[in-house]
Amino acid sequence: MRDSQDTPGGIHPLLAGRFSPYQFDPSARVDDQALGLLLEAARWAPSAGNSQPWGFFLGRPGEPDHDRLLSHLAPSSARWAADAGLLVVTLTRRHVDATPLLYSEFADYDLGQAVAHLTVQAQALGLATHQFRAFDLEGLTKDLDPNPGWAIVSMVAVGKAVGEPREGRGRRSAAHLRSAPWAPAE
Ligand SMILES: Cc1cc2nc3c(=O)[nH]c(=O)nc-3n(C[C@H](O)[C@H](O)[C@H](O)COP(=O)(O)O)c2cc1C
């Protein structure tokens, strides 16, 4: 299996141009209109049984909730996420009330799709996103105290990217994806 360092060819520029920046412009704001469109994009993601098992907690610089979120960042993410114009905590509802339909099986999958929608909408607005797990999950969970059945999954920094994509973000080839990488070795 070889990783490809090629620039993505032929796919939509919003997808080809996306990368997770390690530097954000601290002076670039995410205004209410942009924020509304990011959530609107997430809202229209597909989900199992249209269960929409997602929720977001938001903070922008200058808002009390931003300070709250900053206090839970790991040193590795604080270096760049603190300068982003918006921090998003993503939550999923893995458990459902007694029902014959078990939506919870797909809760994380559905949340991921909603976040993917958000990242593409961000690109369309000239914003970049960096999803991350480098935060104190236990501390943040204690702080936000989500309702039973809800779980924090990740965070997303959104803002104006500074600089170019880092080296080492190559991808497995498309041929590899269809070469049954999941099958047991003969
Ligand atoms: C669920 C998830 C968790 C991630 N956690 C981190 C993280 O803790 N720190 C970090 O620097 N990047 C994190 N990333 C970003 C990935 O490292 C990045 O998406 C990957 O290297 C591919 O690079 P690209 O997004 O620029 O294409 C995470 C991404 C996802 C989707």
Side-chain angles (χ1 to χ4, degrees):
M1 184 262 300
R2 301 241 321 268
D3 281 2
S4 165
Q5 297 285 341
D6 299 346
T7 334
I11 63 172
H12 196 282
L14 290 177
L15 300 173
R18 189 209 58 80
F19 71 99
S20 303
Y22 282 90
Q23 204 181 338
F24 287 95
D25 175 354
S27 70
R29 303 266 152 206
V30 175
D31 62 22
D32 289 346
Q33 195 192 0
L35 178 54
L37 288 170
L38 295 173
L39 295 178
E40 194 64 17
R43 195 164 87 82
W44 283 102
S47 61
N50 200 20
S51 51
Q52 307 165 60
W54 44 62
F56 304 101
F57 181 87
L58 312 164
R60 292 178 289 186
E63 298 174 350
D65 286 339
H66 189 255
D67 289 338
R68 209 168 153 193
L69 293 178
L70 289 183
S71 69
H72 297 293
L73 298 184
S76 66
S77 58
R79 276 197 285 277
W80 40 268
D83 284 338
L86 169 68
L87 288 175
V88 181
V89 180
T90 81
L91 297 102
T92 190
R93 189 171 186 227
R94 293 194 183 122
H95 302 286
V96 289
D97 306 326
T99 164
L101 295 170
L102 187 62
Y103 293 132
S104 60
E105 182 187 353
F106 295 109
D108 289 48
Y109 182 98
D110 292 339
L111 171 65
Q113 297 207 74
V115 175
H117 270 216
L118 185 151
T119 65
V120 176
Q121 183 64 44
Q123 281 297 117
L125 294 167
L127 297 168
T129 52
H130 192 148
Q131 302 177 50
F132 62 100
R133 169 58 186 89
F135 59 88
D136 174 10
L137 176 60
E138 201 183 329
L140 184 59
T141 302
K142 273 200 191 113
D143 188 354
L144 298 188
D145 193 21
N147 280 326
W150 284 89
I152 295 169
V153 174
S154 65
M155 287 183 69
V156 190
V158 186
K160 209 49 136 192
V162 176
E164 299 297 317
R166 271 192 181 180
E167 292 295 312
R169 51 184 293 280
R171 296 299 203 266
R172 298 186 184 104
S173 69
H176 174 76
L177 303 186
R178 52 193 299 185
S179 68
W182 41 264
E186 305 246 318

PDB file of all heavy atoms in Angstrom, residues 117-147:
ATOM      1  N   HIS A 117     -20.488  17.993   6.411  1.00  0.00           N
ATOM      2  CA  HIS A 117     -21.255  19.066   5.759  1.00  0.00           C
ATOM      3  C   HIS A 117     -20.740  20.433   6.207  1.00  0.00           C
ATOM      4  O   HIS A 117     -20.556  21.341   5.401  1.00  0.00           O
ATOM      5  CB  HIS A 117     -22.733  18.943   6.135  1.00  0.00           C
ATOM      6  CG  HIS A 117     -23.525  18.091   5.200  1.00  0.00           C
ATOM      7  ND1 HIS A 117     -24.830  18.375   4.862  1.00  0.00           N
ATOM      8  CD2 HIS A 117     -23.203  16.961   4.539  1.00  0.00           C
ATOM      9  CE1 HIS A 117     -25.264  17.468   4.014  1.00  0.00           C
ATOM     10  NE2 HIS A 117     -24.307  16.584   3.818  1.00  0.00           N
ATOM     11  N   LEU A 118     -20.540  20.553   7.515  1.00  0.00           N
ATOM     12  CA  LEU A 118     -20.075  21.831   8.074  1.00  0.00           C
ATOM     13  C   LEU A 118     -18.708  22.215   7.489  1.00  0.00           C
ATOM     14  O   LEU A 118     -18.475  23.383   7.156  1.00  0.00           O
ATOM     15  CB  LEU A 118     -20.013  21.693   9.596  1.00  0.00           C
ATOM     16  CG  LEU A 118     -19.667  22.891  10.444  1.00  0.00           C
ATOM     17  CD1 LEU A 118     -20.323  22.778  11.820  1.00  0.00           C
ATOM     18  CD2 LEU A 118     -18.168  23.063  10.621  1.00  0.00           C
ATOM     19  N   THR A 119     -17.827  21.232   7.347  1.00  0.00           N
ATOM     20  CA  THR A 119     -16.486  21.561   6.843  1.00  0.00           C
ATOM     21  C   THR A 119     -16.542  22.034   5.391  1.00  0.00           C
ATOM     22  O   THR A 119     -15.819  22.953   5.013  1.00  0.00           O
ATOM     23  CB  THR A 119     -15.514  20.360   6.938  1.00  0.00           C
ATOM     24  OG1 THR A 119     -15.953  19.311   6.091  1.00  0.00           O
ATOM     25  CG2 THR A 119     -15.368  19.838   8.344  1.00  0.00           C
ATOM     26  N   VAL A 120     -17.410  21.422   4.598  1.00  0.00           N
ATOM     27  CA  VAL A 120     -17.508  21.830   3.186  1.00  0.00           C
ATOM     28  C   VAL A 120     -18.135  23.225   3.089  1.00  0.00           C
ATOM     29  O   VAL A 120     -17.698  24.074   2.308  1.00  0.00           O
ATOM     30  CB  VAL A 120     -18.298  20.794   2.364  1.00  0.00           C
ATOM     31  CG1 VAL A 120     -18.488  21.279   0.926  1.00  0.00           C
ATOM     32  CG2 VAL A 120     -17.579  19.447   2.367  1.00  0.00           C
ATOM     33  N   GLN A 121     -19.150  23.476   3.912  1.00  0.00           N
ATOM     34  CA  GLN A 121     -19.762  24.811   3.921  1.00  0.00           C
ATOM     35  C   GLN A 121     -18.736  25.857   4.356  1.00  0.00           C
ATOM     36  O   GLN A 121     -18.692  26.962   3.804  1.00  0.00           O
ATOM     37  CB  GLN A 121     -20.975  24.834   4.855  1.00  0.00           C
ATOM     38  CG  GLN A 121     -21.707  26.162   4.868  1.00  0.00           C
ATOM     39  CD  GLN A 121     -22.327  26.504   3.524  1.00  0.00           C
ATOM     40  OE1 GLN A 121     -22.941  25.655   2.878  1.00  0.00           O
ATOM     41  NE2 GLN A 121     -22.151  27.743   3.083  1.00  0.00           N
ATOM     42  N   ALA A 122     -17.903  25.502   5.313  1.00  0.00           N
ATOM     43  CA  ALA A 122     -16.857  26.427   5.754  1.00  0.00           C
ATOM     44  C   ALA A 122     -15.946  26.773   4.578  1.00  0.00           C
ATOM     45  O   ALA A 122     -15.633  27.949   4.348  1.00  0.00           O
ATOM     46  CB  ALA A 122     -16.052  25.812   6.904  1.00  0.00           C
ATOM     47  N   GLN A 123     -15.539  25.760   3.820  1.00  0.00           N
ATOM     48  CA  GLN A 123     -14.691  26.011   2.637  1.00  0.00           C
ATOM     49  C   GLN A 123     -15.369  26.983   1.686  1.00  0.00           C
ATOM     50  O   GLN A 123     -14.745  27.890   1.158  1.00  0.00           O
ATOM     51  CB  GLN A 123     -14.442  24.702   1.878  1.00  0.00           C
ATOM     52  CG  GLN A 123     -13.397  23.795   2.449  1.00  0.00           C
ATOM     53  CD  GLN A 123     -12.014  24.391   2.457  1.00  0.00           C
ATOM     54  OE1 GLN A 123     -11.434  24.580   3.520  1.00  0.00           O
ATOM     55  NE2 GLN A 123     -11.481  24.727   1.298  1.00  0.00           N
ATOM     56  N   ALA A 124     -16.669  26.775   1.498  1.00  0.00           N
ATOM     57  CA  ALA A 124     -17.418  27.636   0.571  1.00  0.00           C
ATOM     58  C   ALA A 124     -17.445  29.082   1.059  1.00  0.00           C
ATOM     59  O   ALA A 124     -17.610  30.014   0.265  1.00  0.00           O
ATOM     60  CB  ALA A 124     -18.840  27.105   0.396  1.00  0.00           C
ATOM     61  N   LEU A 125     -17.295  29.263   2.361  1.00  0.00           N
ATOM     62  CA  LEU A 125     -17.309  30.618   2.936  1.00  0.00           C
ATOM     63  C   LEU A 125     -15.894  31.185   3.059  1.00  0.00           C
ATOM     64  O   LEU A 125     -15.689  32.241   3.669  1.00  0.00           O
ATOM     65  CB  LEU A 125     -17.955  30.570   4.331  1.00  0.00           C
ATOM     66  CG  LEU A 125     -19.448  30.212   4.356  1.00  0.00           C
ATOM     67  CD1 LEU A 125     -19.898  29.876   5.774  1.00  0.00           C
ATOM     68  CD2 LEU A 125     -20.275  31.368   3.791  1.00  0.00           C
ATOM     69  N   GLY A 126     -14.912  30.449   2.549  1.00  0.00           N
ATOM     70  CA  GLY A 126     -13.522  30.905   2.659  1.00  0.00           C
ATOM     71  C   GLY A 126     -12.927  30.653   4.025  1.00  0.00           C
ATOM     72  O   GLY A 126     -11.920  31.252   4.405  1.00  0.00           O
ATOM     73  N   LEU A 127     -13.552  29.748   4.761  1.00  0.00           N
ATOM     74  CA  LEU A 127     -13.064  29.402   6.100  1.00  0.00           C
ATOM     75  C   LEU A 127     -12.478  27.991   6.069  1.00  0.00           C
ATOM     76  O   LEU A 127     -12.826  27.179   5.215  1.00  0.00           O
ATOM     77  CB  LEU A 127     -14.205  29.451   7.122  1.00  0.00           C
ATOM     78  CG  LEU A 127     -14.843  30.825   7.324  1.00  0.00           C
ATOM     79  CD1 LEU A 127     -16.144  30.701   8.126  1.00  0.00           C
ATOM     80  CD2 LEU A 127     -13.865  31.765   8.032  1.00  0.00           C
ATOM     81  N   ALA A 128     -11.626  27.704   7.027  1.00  0.00           N
ATOM     82  CA  ALA A 128     -11.036  26.368   7.132  1.00  0.00           C
ATOM     83  C   ALA A 128     -11.448  25.749   8.459  1.00  0.00           C
ATOM     84  O   ALA A 128     -11.819  26.457   9.405  1.00  0.00           O
ATOM     85  CB  ALA A 128      -9.517  26.468   7.048  1.00  0.00           C
ATOM     86  N   THR A 129     -11.373  24.432   8.506  1.00  0.00           N
ATOM     87  CA  THR A 129     -11.736  23.715   9.730  1.00  0.00           C
ATOM     88  C   THR A 129     -10.609  22.765  10.117  1.00  0.00           C
ATOM     89  O   THR A 129      -9.936  22.205   9.244  1.00  0.00           O
ATOM     90  CB  THR A 129     -13.002  22.860   9.522  1.00  0.00           C
ATOM     91  OG1 THR A 129     -12.817  22.051   8.359  1.00  0.00           O
ATOM     92  CG2 THR A 129     -14.238  23.718   9.355  1.00  0.00           C
ATOM     93  N   HIS A 130     -10.422  22.607  11.399  1.00  0.00           N
ATOM     94  CA  HIS A 130      -9.509  21.573  11.892  1.00  0.00           C
ATOM     95  C   HIS A 130     -10.231  20.833  13.012  1.00  0.00           C
ATOM     96  O   HIS A 130     -10.451  21.379  14.089  1.00  0.00           O
ATOM     97  CB  HIS A 130      -8.200  22.205  12.391  1.00  0.00           C
ATOM     98  CG  HIS A 130      -7.109  21.210  12.637  1.00  0.00           C
ATOM     99  ND1 HIS A 130      -5.774  21.505  12.454  1.00  0.00           N
ATOM    100  CD2 HIS A 130      -7.139  19.910  13.060  1.00  0.00           C
ATOM    101  CE1 HIS A 130      -5.050  20.439  12.747  1.00  0.00           C
ATOM    102  NE2 HIS A 130      -5.857  19.461  13.124  1.00  0.00           N
ATOM    103  N   GLN A 131     -10.626  19.602  12.712  1.00  0.00           N
ATOM    104  CA  GLN A 131     -11.280  18.769  13.721  1.00  0.00           C
ATOM    105  C   GLN A 131     -10.197  18.216  14.646  1.00  0.00           C
ATOM    106  O   GLN A 131      -9.089  17.934  14.204  1.00  0.00           O
ATOM    107  CB  GLN A 131     -12.015  17.613  13.045  1.00  0.00           C
ATOM    108  CG  GLN A 131     -13.058  18.078  12.050  1.00  0.00           C
ATOM    109  CD  GLN A 131     -13.722  16.902  11.346  1.00  0.00           C
ATOM    110  OE1 GLN A 131     -14.169  15.960  11.984  1.00  0.00           O
ATOM    111  NE2 GLN A 131     -13.809  16.968  10.032  1.00  0.00           N
ATOM    112  N   PHE A 132     -10.543  18.023  15.913  1.00  0.00           N
ATOM    113  CA  PHE A 132      -9.519  17.483  16.814  1.00  0.00           C
ATOM    114  C   PHE A 132     -10.119  16.815  18.048  1.00  0.00           C
ATOM    115  O   PHE A 132     -11.258  17.077  18.442  1.00  0.00           O
ATOM    116  CB  PHE A 132      -8.505  18.560  17.210  1.00  0.00           C
ATOM    117  CG  PHE A 132      -9.075  19.726  17.975  1.00  0.00           C
ATOM    118  CD1 PHE A 132      -8.941  19.802  19.361  1.00  0.00           C
ATOM    119  CD2 PHE A 132      -9.716  20.766  17.318  1.00  0.00           C
ATOM    120  CE1 PHE A 132      -9.444  20.875  20.069  1.00  0.00           C
ATOM    121  CE2 PHE A 132     -10.230  21.859  18.021  1.00  0.00           C
ATOM    122  CZ  PHE A 132     -10.094  21.907  19.400  1.00  0.00           C
ATOM    123  N   ARG A 133      -9.265  15.943  18.604  1.00  0.00           N
ATOM    124  CA  ARG A 133      -9.610  15.228  19.831  1.00  0.00           C
ATOM    125  C   ARG A 133      -8.696  15.655  20.982  1.00  0.00           C
ATOM    126  O   ARG A 133      -8.871  15.174  22.108  1.00  0.00           O
ATOM    127  CB  ARG A 133      -9.501  13.719  19.555  1.00  0.00           C
ATOM    128  CG  ARG A 133      -9.572  12.805  20.758  1.00  0.00           C
ATOM    129  CD  ARG A 133     -10.875  12.988  21.546  1.00  0.00           C
ATOM    130  NE  ARG A 133     -10.822  12.193  22.773  1.00  0.00           N
ATOM    131  CZ  ARG A 133     -10.338  12.625  23.923  1.00  0.00           C
ATOM    132  NH1 ARG A 133      -9.842  13.856  24.024  1.00  0.00           N
ATOM    133  NH2 ARG A 133     -10.325  11.844  24.979  1.00  0.00           N
ATOM    134  N   ALA A 134      -7.752  16.523  20.684  1.00  0.00           N
ATOM    135  CA  ALA A 134      -6.769  16.922  21.689  1.00  0.00           C
ATOM    136  C   ALA A 134      -7.368  17.942  22.667  1.00  0.00           C
ATOM    137  O   ALA A 134      -7.088  19.144  22.600  1.00  0.00           O
ATOM    138  CB  ALA A 134      -5.523  17.485  21.005  1.00  0.00           C
ATOM    139  N   PHE A 135      -8.233  17.428  23.537  1.00  0.00           N
ATOM    140  CA  PHE A 135      -8.795  18.243  24.619  1.00  0.00           C
ATOM    141  C   PHE A 135      -9.121  17.303  25.774  1.00  0.00           C
ATOM    142  O   PHE A 135      -9.130  16.074  25.610  1.00  0.00           O
ATOM    143  CB  PHE A 135     -10.035  19.029  24.148  1.00  0.00           C
ATOM    144  CG  PHE A 135     -11.149  18.163  23.625  1.00  0.00           C
ATOM    145  CD1 PHE A 135     -12.116  17.639  24.485  1.00  0.00           C
ATOM    146  CD2 PHE A 135     -11.232  17.846  22.280  1.00  0.00           C
ATOM    147  CE1 PHE A 135     -13.141  16.829  24.006  1.00  0.00           C
ATOM    148  CE2 PHE A 135     -12.252  17.041  21.793  1.00  0.00           C
ATOM    149  CZ  PHE A 135     -13.207  16.528  22.654  1.00  0.00           C
ATOM    150  N   ASP A 136      -9.402  17.893  26.928  1.00  0.00           N
ATOM    151  CA  ASP A 136      -9.681  17.106  28.132  1.00  0.00           C
ATOM    152  C   ASP A 136     -11.151  16.672  28.102  1.00  0.00           C
ATOM    153  O   ASP A 136     -12.039  17.408  28.546  1.00  0.00           O
ATOM    154  CB  ASP A 136      -9.365  17.975  29.355  1.00  0.00           C
ATOM    155  CG  ASP A 136      -9.764  17.302  30.668  1.00  0.00           C
ATOM    156  OD1 ASP A 136     -10.108  16.098  30.650  1.00  0.00           O
ATOM    157  OD2 ASP A 136      -9.729  17.990  31.708  1.00  0.00           O
ATOM    158  N   LEU A 137     -11.369  15.486  27.566  1.00  0.00           N
ATOM    159  CA  LEU A 137     -12.741  15.005  27.369  1.00  0.00           C
ATOM    160  C   LEU A 137     -13.491  14.897  28.698  1.00  0.00           C
ATOM    161  O   LEU A 137     -14.654  15.319  28.807  1.00  0.00           O
ATOM    162  CB  LEU A 137     -12.725  13.643  26.657  1.00  0.00           C
ATOM    163  CG  LEU A 137     -14.066  12.965  26.452  1.00  0.00           C
ATOM    164  CD1 LEU A 137     -15.006  13.823  25.612  1.00  0.00           C
ATOM    165  CD2 LEU A 137     -13.883  11.592  25.793  1.00  0.00           C
ATOM    166  N   GLU A 138     -12.808  14.381  29.695  1.00  0.00           N
ATOM    167  CA  GLU A 138     -13.468  14.197  30.997  1.00  0.00           C
ATOM    168  C   GLU A 138     -13.833  15.560  31.598  1.00  0.00           C
ATOM    169  O   GLU A 138     -14.963  15.782  32.052  1.00  0.00           O
ATOM    170  CB  GLU A 138     -12.521  13.435  31.927  1.00  0.00           C
ATOM    171  CG  GLU A 138     -13.205  12.749  33.064  1.00  0.00           C
ATOM    172  CD  GLU A 138     -12.202  12.065  33.990  1.00  0.00           C
ATOM    173  OE1 GLU A 138     -11.142  11.634  33.494  1.00  0.00           O
ATOM    174  OE2 GLU A 138     -12.465  11.998  35.199  1.00  0.00           O
ATOM    175  N   GLY A 139     -12.873  16.478  31.557  1.00  0.00           N
ATOM    176  CA  GLY A 139     -13.107  17.814  32.127  1.00  0.00           C
ATOM    177  C   GLY A 139     -14.201  18.562  31.379  1.00  0.00           C
ATOM    178  O   GLY A 139     -15.067  19.207  31.992  1.00  0.00           O
ATOM    179  N   LEU A 140     -14.181  18.462  30.044  1.00  0.00           N
ATOM    180  CA  LEU A 140     -15.190  19.159  29.250  1.00  0.00           C
ATOM    181  C   LEU A 140     -16.570  18.540  29.481  1.00  0.00           C
ATOM    182  O   LEU A 140     -17.579  19.257  29.545  1.00  0.00           O
ATOM    183  CB  LEU A 140     -14.813  19.106  27.756  1.00  0.00           C
ATOM    184  CG  LEU A 140     -15.723  19.865  26.800  1.00  0.00           C
ATOM    185  CD1 LEU A 140     -15.785  21.357  27.144  1.00  0.00           C
ATOM    186  CD2 LEU A 140     -15.247  19.691  25.348  1.00  0.00           C
ATOM    187  N   THR A 141     -16.604  17.221  29.634  1.00  0.00           N
ATOM    188  CA  THR A 141     -17.884  16.556  29.873  1.00  0.00           C
ATOM    189  C   THR A 141     -18.460  16.989  31.225  1.00  0.00           C
ATOM    190  O   THR A 141     -19.656  17.275  31.340  1.00  0.00           O
ATOM    191  CB  THR A 141     -17.725  15.015  29.816  1.00  0.00           C
ATOM    192  OG1 THR A 141     -17.197  14.664  28.538  1.00  0.00           O
ATOM    193  CG2 THR A 141     -19.044  14.306  30.031  1.00  0.00           C
ATOM    194  N   LYS A 142     -17.578  17.084  32.221  1.00  0.00           N
ATOM    195  CA  LYS A 142     -18.029  17.562  33.544  1.00  0.00           C
ATOM    196  C   LYS A 142     -18.563  18.985  33.431  1.00  0.00           C
ATOM    197  O   LYS A 142     -19.581  19.338  34.022  1.00  0.00           O
ATOM    198  CB  LYS A 142     -16.859  17.535  34.534  1.00  0.00           C
ATOM    199  CG  LYS A 142     -16.688  16.203  35.219  1.00  0.00           C
ATOM    200  CD  LYS A 142     -15.864  16.379  36.505  1.00  0.00           C
ATOM    201  CE  LYS A 142     -15.478  15.000  37.030  1.00  0.00           C
ATOM    202  NZ  LYS A 142     -14.043  14.745  36.948  1.00  0.00           N
ATOM    203  N   ASP A 143     -17.870  19.795  32.674  1.00  0.00           N
ATOM    204  CA  ASP A 143     -18.222  21.206  32.544  1.00  0.00           C
ATOM    205  C   ASP A 143     -19.562  21.375  31.798  1.00  0.00           C
ATOM    206  O   ASP A 143     -20.475  22.070  32.280  1.00  0.00           O
ATOM    207  CB  ASP A 143     -17.088  21.925  31.798  1.00  0.00           C
ATOM    208  CG  ASP A 143     -17.266  23.435  31.771  1.00  0.00           C
ATOM    209  OD1 ASP A 143     -18.318  23.924  32.219  1.00  0.00           O
ATOM    210  OD2 ASP A 143     -16.350  24.136  31.294  1.00  0.00           O
ATOM    211  N   LEU A 144     -19.706  20.724  30.652  1.00  0.00           N
ATOM    212  CA  LEU A 144     -20.937  20.906  29.860  1.00  0.00           C
ATOM    213  C   LEU A 144     -22.091  20.078  30.410  1.00  0.00           C
ATOM    214  O   LEU A 144     -23.263  20.396  30.172  1.00  0.00           O
ATOM    215  CB  LEU A 144     -20.690  20.543  28.394  1.00  0.00           C
ATOM    216  CG  LEU A 144     -19.651  21.376  27.631  1.00  0.00           C
ATOM    217  CD1 LEU A 144     -19.667  21.021  26.145  1.00  0.00           C
ATOM    218  CD2 LEU A 144     -19.877  22.871  27.812  1.00  0.00           C
ATOM    219  N   ASP A 145     -21.754  19.007  31.102  1.00  0.00           N
ATOM    220  CA  ASP A 145     -22.764  18.174  31.760  1.00  0.00           C
ATOM    221  C   ASP A 145     -23.926  17.811  30.823  1.00  0.00           C
ATOM    222  O   ASP A 145     -25.090  18.133  31.107  1.00  0.00           O
ATOM    223  CB  ASP A 145     -23.290  18.925  33.001  1.00  0.00           C
ATOM    224  CG  ASP A 145     -24.083  17.998  33.902  1.00  0.00           C
ATOM    225  OD1 ASP A 145     -23.898  16.772  33.816  1.00  0.00           O
ATOM    226  OD2 ASP A 145     -24.922  18.504  34.683  1.00  0.00           O
ATOM    227  N   PRO A 146     -23.595  17.133  29.687  1.00  0.00           N
ATOM    228  CA  PRO A 146     -24.672  16.810  28.739  1.00  0.00           C
ATOM    229  C   PRO A 146     -25.710  15.869  29.346  1.00  0.00           C
ATOM    230  O   PRO A 146     -25.395  15.104  30.260  1.00  0.00           O
ATOM    231  CB  PRO A 146     -23.944  16.131  27.570  1.00  0.00           C
ATOM    232  CG  PRO A 146     -22.599  15.766  28.079  1.00  0.00           C
ATOM    233  CD  PRO A 146     -22.295  16.649  29.244  1.00  0.00           C
ATOM    234  N   ASN A 147     -26.918  15.939  28.822  1.00  0.00           N
ATOM    235  CA  ASN A 147     -27.997  15.074  29.291  1.00  0.00           C
ATOM    236  C   ASN A 147     -27.625  13.606  29.099  1.00  0.00           C
ATOM    237  O   ASN A 147     -26.829  13.284  28.212  1.00  0.00           O
ATOM    238  CB  ASN A 147     -29.280  15.364  28.504  1.00  0.00           C
ATOM    239  CG  ASN A 147     -29.985  16.593  29.029  1.00  0.00           C
ATOM    240  OD1 ASN A 147     -29.958  16.869  30.225  1.00  0.00           O
ATOM    241  ND2 ASN A 147     -30.597  17.345  28.129  1.00  0.00           N
TER     242      ASN A 147
END
